[in-house]
Structures are given as C-alpha cells and as structure tokens.
Amino acid sequence: RHDFDVAALRAQFPALHQTINGKPLVYLDNAATTQKPEIVIEAVNRFYRHDNANIHRGVHTLSGRATDLYEASRAQIQSSLNAAHSDEIVFVRGVTEAINLIASSFGQRLVAGDEILISALEHHANIVPWHLLGTRIGTVLKVIPVTPAGEIDLDVLPRMITARTRLIAVNHVSNALGTINPIKKICRIAREHGIPTLIDGAQGLPHGPVDVQAIGCDFYAISGHKAFGPSGVGALYARRPWLDELPPYHGGGDMIETVTFDAVTFAPPPAKFEAGTPNIEGAIALGTALSWLADLDHVALAEHESALLAAATQQLGEIPGLRFVGQARDKAPVVSFVVDGVHPHDIGTLLDAQGIAVRTGHHCAMPILKQLGVSTGTVRASFSFYNTFDEVEALARAVRRAQTMLT
Ligand code: PMP
C-alpha cells in the first residue's frame, strides 16, 4: 500500500519510543506539535557544543560560523517554500508572531473602516491580532463563511470584497478540522481585486511541499515546531516589495543602519524585521529539519498520510454515536470528532491511560466549533507520516473502550 519504510522513519524519532502508563506511546497530537528527528535534536546540541556565538556582529570565527549557519537556514527555508529570494524570509517565533508582525506593520497603512477578510475556519492566531488592530484603529473584521462540511464558501468570497478590503488572511490547512483550503483560488480572486493575501501555513508545511510562488500569496507564515523543527522559531515569507515598504515591527539591535538620539535609519530587509538576538540555535535547527524533510519521498509520505486518514475515518466511523466534525473533501490527516453523551476531555484522559496522545477541546478555533454546534469541543487525532496503521487501530479500540466505560 505504501512503499516507504515507516519503521526506519520512526527509528529517527527518539521520543516515539517510550511507554506511557505502561503502554507504547501512540502520538496523535501532531497538529499541536510534531516530534523531532535525531538530526534536529543533534543540530541544537552541536550548535551549543561547537558554534555558539552571537550572529552578524562579530569579527571572530565562532560568530562567523554561527552567522553562516543562521543564514544557510534562511536559504533552506527559501528553498523549501520556493521563495524567489532568501531576503524574503524573516525569522520570527512562529505563525503567531508572523501574523502579529503583519497586523502591526501592515496595519500602520490602514485607517478606520478598512476591512480585513478572514475565514470562519481560522485559528485564534489569525483572529485576535485583527481584534487588537480593530480596537486600536477601527479596522473591521469580516468573515468568509464556512459550509457545514467545514469548507470555505468560495462562491460568497467575491461578494464579500469591497472597495475597503485591504487584506485577505486565511489558513492553508485548518488545525481544528483538517480542511485543506483552496488557497490558490483565494489568492487568484484577491489578486484580481488588487488585494494582498496572508496565508497561515502552520498546518500546511508539515503535510507536503509548499510553493509560495505557485500559491501566489503575498505572505506565508510557518512554525518550526509543527514541521519537525524546534519550538519558538518560525518564518514569515513576504514578497520582496512588501519588506521594503513596510515599517519595522520591533526596534532594537541588529535592525538598524545608524542610530542617534534624534533619528534612526533601518537596515535593509530582512534584518529590518529581526530586532535583537534571535533564537539562533532554533533557526539553525529549523533549517536542518526542512532540509531533512525535503529529502524524503513526498509522494510516498502523502500516500501514507491519506491511507492513515482513510483508515481512521473508516474505523472510527463504525463506532455508534461517534460524529465527525468537519468532513471536507480535501483534508489533511486530521480527524475531529465527538461521541454522544461523553465529554471529550474524559475520552482524552482515558486514551492517555492507554498511552494514546490526542488533543481535546476547542483547538484554538472556538468560532468554527461553535458554528458546527460543538459546545464542549472535540477529540482531535492528528497524524503524521510516522504514524502507523496499528496506531489507527489502537485509537479506534481505545475510543470504543472509553465509550463503554463512560456511558
Ligand atoms: N495557525 C494554525 C492553523 C495553527 O494550527 C497554529 C498552532 N496550533 C497556529 C496558527 C499558531 O502557531 P504557533 O503557536 O506556532 O505560533
């Protein structure tokens, strides 16, 4: 069914090989964060053992080495996202900071009454920064509706665009439901109206190659920890003219050309957006993670992930009283579900007792769960290519057992 060696892949992930409550760990919380391959863990370790120094400012050898590694990682991210230039890549803490950066910096071009268009399927990271901007300057947040299956209603989108629409910001893949959104089409519609686009790629990058030029977006945000890299580091891709035009987000060292007490001139991008000492080892190890990912067989991984999704959908679907939340036609390997008469947290707790890690609750996406009639949240099992069919079976078995115990 799949022509790659899951066992060999799993062997590279130390954290997958442990027992939890006496049972082998079944890690199905990959949408929250993925586990890390040895090579990434080693990259962090090696940096502190051999290369640790601050970047960009030193004339000494270690600083040069750290800077080279840091910039090589930027080039790797450029390559992984197929950006045209490495200076279109800004290191940030993750998607949350990337969107806050845009809301703050791009936000300075906006005035009261200007409209930001998001979808009903967004993570709080792509909702709350727009609330904050609205409170500050009076921009208006408008929401593209989502169908009961959990798909963005593309027919409605063109009608929601007005002369005041300044930005369309949507996610590539929904973390709550797994829906893969038609971002190419959304970006095309936006371009036809001369409106820039911001894609939240937190859940896009871990499930297949990303090509920002083919997508046709202006901004694309990623989080390292969702794509086998370290926590607390990510990147914002921005099409080149934007980084020249937009004002800086944070001020401090490393982002300036000259400073006096009266005035400051800024370094060219991307440095202009990278004030202060960054997460150097994280940035470097993110490059390692993406280079490792790029060397895998993407067709085989995608086939394996769809087969896992199909198996989970089938086996869980046979459980009486279980209802899937979100059944988009195009989905990442994520199943979100509720079981009649049982609180999701209770299922999650009983699954953990059997070594199975899932997420329960609202998945930082309260509005869409509310729309779909789920007040207590869902149980979410999110797969990665290192998961196995045995783990799918263990999940279905454990959900049945939890259901029996709780009803
Ligand atoms: N958007 C989506 C779709 C996500 O899944 C997440 C993480 N759950 C975020 C944004 C925020 O990412 P981070 O916490 O890494 O900043």
Side-chain angles (χ1 to χ4, degrees):
R1 185 150 54 169
H2 47 99
D3 57 356
F4 81 109
D5 187 346
V6 190
L9 196 59
R10 291 176 69 80
Q12 299 181 52
F13 287 81
L16 292 178
H17 307 283
Q18 59 181 302
T19 53
I20 300 289
N21 297 317
K23 299 280 170 50
L25 167 66
V26 174
Y27 187 76
L28 303 179
D29 196 16
N30 294 286
T33 203
T34 55
Q35 297 301 340
K36 319 303 170 196
E38 190 76 54
I39 195 172
V40 168
I41 300 167
E42 196 39 44
V44 175
N45 196 330
R46 193 174 54 239
F47 176 75
Y48 282 124
R49 286 180 177 279
H50 299 287
D51 308 315
N52 178 49
N54 210 334
I55 52 167
H56 290 155
R57 281 155 295 195
V59 293
H60 62 81
T61 303
L62 280 191
S63 177
R65 220 192 274 163
T67 303
D68 289 349
L69 289 165
Y70 184 80
E71 292 305 327
S73 170
R74 196 191 305 278
Q76 176 61 53
I77 296 168
Q78 171 205 349
S79 152
S80 289
L81 300 183
N82 194 33
H85 310 280
S86 68
D87 56 13
E88 294 178 318
I89 305 297
V90 177
F91 280 112
V92 289
R93 271 166 40 216
V95 169
T96 302
E97 185 178 27
I99 299 177
N100 278 279
L101 188 162
I102 296 299
S104 159
S105 174
F106 181 86
Q108 289 183 45
R109 306 157 63 96
L110 306 183
V111 296
D114 281 348
E115 295 166 0
I116 309 291
L117 212 46
I118 62 170
S119 85
L121 209 48
E122 299 310 310
H123 186 278
H124 297 164
N126 193 26
I127 302 174
V128 182
W130 307 117
H131 277 307
L132 296 177
L133 183 67
T135 308
R136 215 157 59 233
I137 65 169
T139 49
V140 178
L141 190 57
K142 289 175 71 175
V143 183
I144 312 162
V146 165
T147 66
E151 295 176 338
I152 291 180
D153 194 338
L154 267 193
D155 295 340
V156 178
L157 171 59
R159 277 182 270 133
M160 296 194 66
I161 293 174
T162 74
R164 299 301 300 272
T165 310
R166 296 290 177 252
L167 181 73
I168 300 180
V170 294
N171 62 43
H172 188 163
V173 174
S174 154
N175 66 306
L177 309 182
T179 311
I180 300 174
N181 290 313
I183 52 173
K184 253 189 211 176
K185 285 187 189 153
I186 292 172
C187 291
R188 198 186 57 231
I189 294 169
R191 260 195 327 278
E192 285 165 7
H193 291 82
I195 300 164
T197 41
L198 162 61
I199 306 298
D200 164 356
Q203 304 289 344
L205 186 62
H207 297 296
V210 170
D211 182 336
V212 291
Q213 297 186 71
I215 293 166
C217 56
D218 291 87
F219 306 103
Y220 192 98
I222 62 168
S223 284
H225 71 99
K226 308 259 191 205
F228 316 99
S231 302
V233 67
L236 171 67
Y237 157 79
R239 235 165 25 81
R240 204 173 203 173
W242 284 115
L243 293 182
D244 290 324
E245 268 179 48
L246 293 178
Y249 165 53
H250 289 152
D254 233 26
M255 52 79 77
I256 52 85
E257 223 154 49
T258 61
V259 177
T260 67
F261 290 118
D262 302 314
V264 50
T265 59
F266 302 119
K272 183 169 106 179
F273 296 95
E274 294 181 4
T277 302
N279 178 352
I280 303 170
E281 77 286 7
I284 291 170
L286 172 55
T288 306
L290 295 188
S291 144
W292 172 84
L293 193 56
D295 285 343
L296 299 178
D297 175 348
H298 284 280
V299 176
L301 298 186
E303 276 173 11
H304 181 60
E305 287 192 352
S306 342
L308 289 171
L309 175 63
T313 306
Q314 197 226 320
Q315 290 175 37
L316 292 169
E318 287 167 0
I319 299 176
L322 183 146
R323 173 168 76 88
F324 290 112
V325 179
Q327 284 183 293
R329 285 158 293 185
D330 202 7
K331 257 182 74 167
V334 174
V335 285
S336 228
F337 59 90
V338 290
V339 178
D340 280 348
V342 185
H343 199 286
H345 289 312
D346 295 337
I347 296 183
T349 306
L350 287 181
L351 293 191
D352 181 60
Q354 297 174 62
I356 302 175
V358 294
R359 183 140 301 230
T360 63
H362 53 67
H363 319 299
C364 296
M366 280 184 184
I368 187 61
L369 293 190
K370 186 164 178 224
Q371 178 195 321
L372 298 179
V374 186
S375 53
T376 53
T378 70
V379 180
R380 181 188 70 186
S382 53
F383 297 86
S384 179
F385 45 65
Y386 48 56
N387 289 122
T388 67
F389 295 104
D390 288 346
E391 292 180 316
V392 173
E393 279 168 29
L395 170 70
R397 220 173 23 244
V399 171
R400 280 182 195 272
R401 191 177 303 167
Q403 184 185 34
T404 309
M405 288 173 75
L406 293 166
T407 53

